[in-house]
Amino acid sequence: MYHLVPMPQMVVFGEEVSNRSFPLGVCFSELPFLSEKAVSEVCPGAFVSSEKPDIDFVRRNGVEYGYRIVSKKSRLTVFYSSDESAFNALVTLWQISRQADRPGVFEILDRADIENRGFGLDISRGKVPTVQTVCKLADILARFKYNQLQLYIEGFSFEYPSFSQYSGKDSSLSSDEIREISRYCKERFIELVPNQNSLGHMMPWLAEEEFSNLAECESGFSYAGYTLPATTLDACNRKSSELVEKMADDLFSCCDSDKIHMGLDESFELCRGKNKNKDNGAVFADYVRRLNQFCRRRGKRMMMWADGLHRFHCFDKGLPGDIIYLEWGYEKEYSFDAMCRKLRDSNLDFYVCPGTSSWLSFTGLTDNMMKNIENAVGCALEYGARGVLLTDWGDCNHMQPLPVSYAAIIYCGALVWNGKAGLSEEALADALNTVVFEDKNGIMGRFVLEAGRYYLSEDFRLPCRTLAHLMYSGNIKSIDQYNSSLALTEMLVNALAQPDVAKAYFPIKRGGASGSAEKVMTFVASLKTMLAGADMKCSDAGLIRAEYENALDMVLLFTQLRKNLNECKPIEGLKEQAETIAQRHRNIWLERNKKSGLEIGLVAFETF
């Protein structure tokens, strides 16, 4: 029996073995919708081009399944209902080729539980990936049958042709680069959906003199004693709409998708400044309608985050019914159930959006990731979501390496395709070993999951964040700064998160050492030993090893810093260690990313 991820909906195995062996011949000239190059890159070693193929492809329109593979002793037939399903059938056969020299005798009947299976990568907040990095990611997504990719743009990480003076080749993806990515994805049956924020999260734009007058609060805004910079557009100013429409038009020229994600989340200042006396729900709903009308004129279906609907009580404000609303929540306690029920009962099309739990952690939060994805996908299936978008964010300089998110990609992909089958931790680790890392010693998969558990040894839990990363992101160098950062985090979570989330983590007891730092450092030392035993054969094996080694050293550095502060010990002795980590980080970063915000992310290493 083969271990397939995602598990097909139905598999029946026989006892015989085919008389044909991998690689199997495919007549690509008769299948013009399949790119031989794409198949060879997503499914290396499993197929060769042949005018006398080993696989018969038979199209069956209108069938209930996506694809059906019938493998007999002398012949193998793929029945498929769409071009995408034929490609997915080859992906399944490729996974079989990783486990056997010859295909067995079997029948597989398969389709996805959820039609739209997406991944959202934050390419802002300082880390802009190279084209090669995004293309490699697309290959991994295709291996787990994702069919949508969104690159989240905030600020100038895309070189908008209309505003090219604010971007550069070392800090932005150009129009040509986005087109290249779009073509690459399309050959793998992945839709590249443009994604930009258009109301909140506009701080980089509003910091520019040309656009500063478009802010709701031009001088920033104060909340609970903290003053924050302007982040939200004046939704009542027609010039705000003109700005985001021009931005969107620039993006449309690069992508073939019939959708665009316009963001609209976390518009905290809405009606707190220039529009203070207006109904924020009515203002928000009107802005949404105007943007949707623009998208419809361009022949695009608008997508947007759903938090504004809840925050501003918009369900009775005449929201457009043709928008796709994206319900996001990243803690394991997030109540997708209540939120999805409300969207369904309002007859709105929606996706659910869990997270990889990799950001603000260095090496991930495995248990939160798995439970968050389980809750999200379970509610997507129960309430009839149109899709699932797994999100990968980069808050506070995007310090986690991309491979930290691979476990979440596999886990979410498996559940979205076949929710009933699920995926055990053992099977997840095995998929990481065999399909991604190609670890001959079978260690790397388990290592990745355990690396995402160091936070369980810390003093206490924080939502979607570790204490080690808090020390980094707050540039904390004193016990007073530590306690102040905890207070700010608690305030923000209580103000912005669901009550069930806030009460699961706060209040916390601050000050004093519990001995947890020693536990963390002992645990990380064991992880380093485990990593040393891995024998990866994937093309970027050396880089992945270096990324994880340096990430673990970051955990050790900032845990030791916290220990020193709690014990009133000097921190100057950590300076050399910090400098070594920073220099390695520079080299590693440039292997996958443009230079962009690299140096900004290293400030905390330079202040010891």
Side-chain angles (χ1 to χ4, degrees):
M1 181 174 180
Y2 307 117
H3 300 288
L4 304 175
V5 181
M7 178 60 68
Q9 299 289 342
M10 188 198 80
V11 184
V12 178
F13 291 102
E15 296 182 357
E16 295 181 291
V17 177
S18 171
N19 57 18
R20 298 179 182 270
S21 59
F22 291 107
L24 299 173
V26 175
C27 186
F28 287 100
S29 62
E30 295 181 0
L31 304 165
F33 59 86
L34 288 179
S35 161
E36 182 180 353
K37 183 174 185 293
V39 169
S40 68
E41 289 173 341
V42 175
C43 309
F47 309 105
V48 293
S49 181
S50 174
E51 295 303 311
K52 295 182 179 180
D54 297 303
I55 305 175
D56 294 322
F57 284 85
V58 180
R59 190 176 188 110
R60 293 279 175 85
N61 295 320
V63 297
E64 293 183 0
Y65 57 81
Y67 67 87
R68 178 183 173 213
I69 305 174
V70 179
S71 177
K72 297 181 178 180
K73 188 169 184 178
S74 59
R75 204 69 192 159
L76 195 155
T77 305
V78 170
F79 301 92
Y80 64 100
S81 59
S82 67
D83 297 350
E84 179 186 341
S85 64
F87 182 81
N88 285 333
L90 292 181
V91 170
T92 298
L93 288 169
W94 173 71
Q95 284 202 19
I96 291 173
S97 78
R98 310 288 290 177
Q99 303 171 52
D101 294 331
R102 295 173 179 271
V105 172
F106 60 84
E107 180 178 357
I108 291 176
L109 194 65
D110 204 9
R111 58 165 175 73
D113 282 344
I114 295 178
E115 178 185 0
N116 298 290
R117 306 171 301 281
F119 184 72
L121 178 67
D122 184 354
I123 65 167
S124 304
R125 296 181 171 91
K127 182 182 274 188
V128 179
T130 63
V131 171
Q132 293 75 20
T133 295
V134 180
C135 290
K136 182 173 179 59
L137 171 65
D139 286 338
I140 292 173
L141 294 173
R143 290 174 186 174
F144 298 99
K145 301 184 171 73
Y146 284 77
N147 60 6
Q148 191 178 116
L149 173 62
Q150 300 190 16
L151 302 178
Y152 171 74
I153 298 166
E154 179 178 317
F156 308 110
S157 53
F158 168 60
E159 188 178 359
Y160 291 96
S162 300
F163 308 98
S164 58
Q165 67 270 32
Y166 297 111
S167 305
K169 67 177 183 178
D170 289 332
S171 59
S172 313
L173 285 172
S174 69
S175 298
D176 286 342
E177 288 174 318
I178 293 290
R179 291 188 188 98
E180 182 179 349
I181 292 169
S182 181
R183 287 193 296 269
Y184 194 92
C185 288
K186 190 174 183 179
E187 290 179 343
R188 288 143 183 82
F189 299 93
I190 295 173
E191 178 184 13
L192 183 67
V193 176
N195 182 327
Q196 68 173 36
N197 236 316
S198 307
L199 183 60
H201 288 277
M202 294 292 288
M203 185 172 66
W205 292 87
L206 298 176
E208 297 293 339
E209 184 177 356
E210 180 181 359
F211 310 110
S212 60
N213 65 325
L214 299 181
E216 171 73 18
C217 301
E218 287 188 38
S219 301
F221 70 107
S222 295
Y223 191 85
Y226 295 91
T227 300
L228 303 173
T231 66
T232 302
L233 290 170
D234 174 0
C236 296
N237 188 335
R238 179 59 201 174
K239 290 186 177 180
S240 295
S241 299
E242 291 173 359
L243 170 63
V244 299
E245 288 170 8
K246 184 176 286 189
M247 292 162 57
D249 275 333
D250 283 352
L251 265 177
F252 290 153
S253 68
C254 308
C255 303
D256 296 331
S257 175
D258 62 355
K259 307 177 188 68
I260 182 170
H261 188 171
M262 298 296 279
L264 306 180
D265 65 316
E266 296 185 334
S267 48
F268 299 127
E269 300 110 289
L270 190 74
C271 296
R272 290 177 177 267
K274 294 174 181 175
N275 301 293
K276 189 173 184 179
N277 296 320
K278 297 179 180 178
D279 178 343
N280 57 16
V283 168
F284 184 77
D286 184 62
Y287 187 78
V288 168
R289 284 192 291 269
R290 278 188 278 131
L291 277 187
N292 187 49
Q293 289 167 4
F294 159 76
C295 293
R296 291 177 65 177
R297 289 195 300 271
R298 296 297 191 271
K300 306 293 182 181
R301 187 170 187 186
M302 179 170 148
M303 308 175 84
M304 61 174 281
W305 301 114
D307 62 304
L309 279 63
H310 306 291
R311 187 185 306 278
F312 303 125
H313 308 288
C314 290
F315 286 92
D316 61 348
K317 303 291 186 183
L319 292 166
D322 57 344
I323 293 176
I324 300 173
Y325 298 91
L326 285 83
E327 184 63 48
W328 60 269
Y330 308 131
E331 302 84 7
K332 65 182 185 299
E333 297 85 6
Y334 187 81
S335 180
F336 279 107
D337 185 87
M339 301 303 187
C340 292
R341 186 186 302 114
K342 198 163 188 176
L343 289 163
R344 181 203 61 185
D345 292 348
S346 300
N347 296 314
L348 299 175
D349 285 344
F350 67 96
Y351 286 18
V352 297
C353 307
T356 61
S357 296
S358 61
W359 64 97
L360 301 175
S361 72
F362 298 120
T363 58
L365 297 89
T366 297
D367 298 85
N368 185 79
M369 174 271 288
M370 295 180 72
K371 188 63 178 175
N372 176 235
I373 290 173
E374 289 168 16
N375 291 342
V377 176
C379 287
L381 291 167
E382 181 174 355
Y383 294 106
R386 292 286 303 274
V388 172
L389 181 73
L390 176 66
T391 58
D392 190 57
W393 300 106
D395 300 56
C396 299
N397 306 308
H398 215 137
M399 296 300 285
Q400 77 276 12
L402 182 59
V404 172
S405 299
Y406 290 169
I409 288 172
I410 296 174
Y411 195 63
C412 189
L415 270 59
V416 172
W417 186 272
N418 186 347
K420 295 183 293 295
L423 189 68
S424 68
E425 267 201 44
E426 181 181 2
L428 174 56
D430 183 64
L432 284 163
N433 285 330
T434 58
V435 182
V436 178
F437 299 123
E438 302 176 40
D439 182 6
K440 300 304 179 183
N441 291 342
I443 290 173
M444 197 65 192
R446 173 53 58 187
F447 162 81
V448 166
L449 298 180
E450 290 304 306
R453 289 190 164 117
Y454 79 83
Y455 76 103
L456 299 177
S457 297
E458 292 182 326
D459 281 351
F460 45 81
R461 317 284 177 265
L462 295 173
C464 293
R465 162 177 301 213
T466 68
L467 280 176
H469 201 286
L470 179 74
M471 300 298 297
Y472 159 77
S473 58
N475 194 12
I476 295 169
K477 298 299 187 295
S478 73
I479 197 67
D480 288 341
Q481 289 178 326
Y482 175 61
N483 286 324
S484 177
S485 291
L486 287 175
L488 175 60
T489 301
E490 182 173 357
M491 182 275 292
L492 290 173
V493 171
N494 282 322
L496 304 175
Q498 287 183 338
D500 285 348
V501 172
K503 73 181 182 182
Y505 295 94
F506 298 106
I508 57 174
K509 183 178 179 181
R510 290 189 281 276
S514 69
S516 71
E518 291 289 351
K519 294 178 183 177
V520 172
M521 291 189 287
T522 299
F523 183 71
V524 172
S526 70
L527 290 172
K528 286 191 161 193
T529 301
M530 188 184 302
L531 178 59
D535 184 18
M536 293 178 282
K537 301 300 182 184
C538 56
S539 60
D540 56 348
L543 176 58
I544 292 171
R545 186 182 298 276
E547 287 172 322
Y548 264 106
E549 287 173 344
N550 213 43
L552 291 175
D553 281 342
M554 290 181 185
V555 174
L556 288 175
L557 172 66
F558 290 105
T559 300
Q560 183 66 60
L561 172 61
R562 181 168 62 89
K563 182 175 186 291
N564 284 15
L565 295 179
N566 273 323
E567 296 176 359
C568 300
K569 292 181 179 178
I571 65 172
E572 290 78 10
L574 301 175
K575 182 177 179 63
E576 184 177 348
Q577 181 182 348
E579 290 174 347
T580 299
I581 293 172
Q583 187 53 52
R584 289 204 307 255
H585 181 71
R586 287 186 179 93
N587 298 333
I588 291 168
W589 176 285
L590 294 173
E591 290 291 324
R592 296 194 196 272
N593 310 290
K594 300 194 174 194
K595 189 174 182 180
S596 49
L598 169 57
E599 293 301 326
I600 295 174
L602 294 176
V603 171
F605 296 89
E606 297 167 349
T607 51
F608 280 88

